[in-house]
Amino acid sequence: MVFERDNWQEIFATIRKNKLRTFLTMLGVFWGIFMLVIMLGSGNGLRHGVLKDFGGTATNSFFVWAQPTTKGYKGMKPGRNYNFNLSDAEALKQIKELDVVCPMNQLEGNEGMGNVMRGLKTAAAQIQANYPNTLKITSVKITKGRFLNDFDIKEKRKVCIIGSRVRELLFKKDEDPIGEYVRINGVYFRIIGLTVPGSSGGDGREEAMRINIPFTTFQNAFHFGDVVGWFAIKSREDVPAEISEQKVISILKDHHKIAPDDQKAVGHWNMAVEFNKLTGLFTGIEILIWIVGSGTLLAGVIGISNIMLIVVKERTKEIGVKRALGAVPSQIIGQILIEAVFLTSIAGYFGLIAGVLLLEGLNSLIGESGEMFSNPTVDFGVAVKALMILIISGAVAGLIPANKAVAIKPVEALRAE
């Protein structure tokens, strides 16, 4: 029935006879699928832009740091300052739920910058003390050279990895910094690696101005002793980070005689919690987009159904002749459904193509450079799914007119004016 020539001749004859009506009917479906694709692409662009700020940090990781106590405990007054230390690190490594425990430190405090010099050139950079296993928590993009290794830690080597902005400030464009020396607060360090930011926004700018040095070298060169600024911790894959975080905080409070109900003495930031919040938010946005887009699409499909009812009415006598000549109901239904599916498919296809082309144009302009909006594309599978929904909707839209056509009695149809 689909490939019968007579059916298609009738369909195209109807379209040619009512060009404006057909165009306006198809426009509703075109606009519905076009808007659905654009909204889905925009939602993905927002998702990509926001999640990009996580910069490759493991989603089951968290960070803890020391803050002044707010409650008295065991004879100690509130407002007491304290520091984490390496004995805390050893205690945390015994927690079976943890995969990585990485002590970290930073020169001049969390917001401070260290003075870096090379010859007559100077820069204010973020000097960070690290261990090699920090790569299991936060990705570091090395463009040349290498990152820290266990020998750097064990031998307390005076080596460093510099960010892209530090390189721009201290070296000429054609100079190779690898093997050269920089002076950090009067101490010389040899450059062994170059990095570029792995995220955008403020975090990316911080990475570009960061210099990583071995943790043991940092403690010794800048007289920090066994003080730890904060811990970067990764939970095991089969253990939620929230559970591990609570155990870590409990042990740290016990080590430093902090009241168990003091909620502010141990600062913490859980990547898993924040990531799940954003994931839930974007899932809700996607559901809303599908609801709104489907509603717009439904309006176009209803338009197709209404037009097909008019077509059936116009063809009443023709349908009566066919029935009188022996046409079975399935033939009448099939012809109406084919026409409805054909109109919705063609309109939907062009709407899909137009939406994808517009998104690709935006993507070529924005790409991955946007901070809050980047890579606004739609997955091929989603596009195909939308088109399939449209085709099914077209078939459903044709059912009511088709049933109405079948319900017409041949005698009454032949009498119709």
Side-chain angles (χ1 to χ4, degrees), residues 329-340:
S330 61
Q331 291 178 309
I332 303 299
I333 292 175
Q335 183 176 353
I336 301 299
L337 289 180
I338 289 171
E339 186 167 347

Side-chain angles (χ1 to χ4, degrees), residues 15 18-30 343 347:
I15 292 174
N18 303 282
K19 294 178 182 178
L20 180 60
R21 185 180 72 184
T22 303
F23 171 77
L24 293 176
T25 302
M26 294 176 68
L27 182 61
V29 177
F30 170 91
L343 292 177

Side-chain angles (χ1 to χ4, degrees), residues 64-70 79-84 110 229 258 262-268:
V64 292
W65 58 92
Q67 295 184 155
T69 61
T70 60
R80 173 171 58 94
N81 291 306
Y82 69 99
N83 292 308
F84 293 149
N110 289 337
I258 298 170
D262 190 339
Q263 301 299 320
K264 296 184 179 181
V266 179
H268 54 98

Side-chain angles (χ1 to χ4, degrees), residues 276-294:
N276 289 336
K277 285 180 182 178
L278 285 175
T279 301
L281 173 64
F282 287 117
T283 299
I285 290 175
E286 186 173 352
I287 292 173
L288 180 62
I289 286 173
W290 274 104
I291 292 174
V292 174
S294 298

Side-chain angles (χ1 to χ4, degrees), residues 95-314:
I95 301 177
K96 62 181 181 179
E97 289 83 1
L98 303 184
D99 181 31
V100 178
V101 176
C102 184
M104 303 182 76
N105 227 326
Q106 190 164 296
L107 197 62
E108 305 296 343
N110 289 337
E111 300 298 330
M113 307 288 275
N115 186 38
V116 185
M117 298 183 65
R118 178 180 178 264
L120 299 177
K121 295 182 178 181
T122 63
Q126 185 186 85
I127 315 301
Q128 193 169 101
N130 251 318
Y131 275 87
N133 62 359
T134 190
L135 295 180
K136 295 182 179 181
I137 300 176
T138 303
S139 64
V140 177
K141 293 187 177 181
I142 301 290
T143 57
K144 191 171 185 180
R146 65 174 177 85
F147 194 64
L148 304 173
N149 60 33
D150 292 333
F151 290 106
D152 297 328
I153 297 293
K154 184 178 180 180
E155 298 175 8
K156 300 180 182 180
R157 293 174 177 173
K158 292 179 180 177
V159 294
C160 67
I161 298 93
I162 65 173
S164 55
R165 180 57 181 162
V166 177
R167 176 187 179 178
E168 291 175 6
L169 294 173
L170 298 181
F171 294 87
K172 295 179 181 179
K173 190 174 183 179
D174 57 346
E175 282 186 289
D176 183 4
I178 301 297
E180 298 294 326
Y181 286 82
V182 292
R183 191 170 66 190
I184 303 173
N185 282 20
V187 181
Y188 283 91
F189 289 82
R190 183 169 61 88
I191 300 171
I192 60 171
L194 306 176
T195 67
V196 293
S199 60
S200 60
D203 290 342
R205 287 187 288 272
E206 284 187 10
E207 289 181 51
M209 289 300 300
R210 183 174 298 157
I211 297 179
N212 286 287
I213 65 176
F215 187 90
T216 51
T217 307
F218 179 94
Q219 305 295 81
N220 186 58
F222 303 118
H223 311 292
F224 269 67
D226 70 342
V227 172
V228 174
W230 71 94
F231 288 104
I233 301 171
K234 181 174 177 286
S235 183
R236 269 181 17 205
E237 294 296 334
D238 59 336
V239 180
E242 300 93 309
I243 294 176
S244 300
E245 182 184 41
Q246 291 304 315
K247 289 195 173 185
V248 166
I249 292 174
S250 178
I251 288 177
L252 291 174
K253 285 182 177 180
D254 184 61
H255 270 218
H256 295 277
K257 297 181 173 60
I258 298 170
D261 59 343
D262 190 339
Q263 301 299 320
K264 296 184 179 181
V266 179
H268 54 98
W269 191 85
N270 193 312
M271 184 73 167
V273 172
E274 301 304 319
F275 185 81
N276 289 336
K277 285 180 182 178
L278 285 175
T279 301
L281 173 64
F282 287 117
T283 299
I285 290 175
E286 186 173 352
I287 292 173
L288 180 62
I289 286 173
W290 274 104
I291 292 174
V292 174
S294 298
T296 306
L297 192 58
L298 180 62
V301 171
I302 290 174
I304 293 283
S305 183
N306 290 334
I307 291 301
M308 292 310 299
L309 285 171
I310 296 173
V311 169
V312 168
K313 187 175 181 180
E314 291 175 346

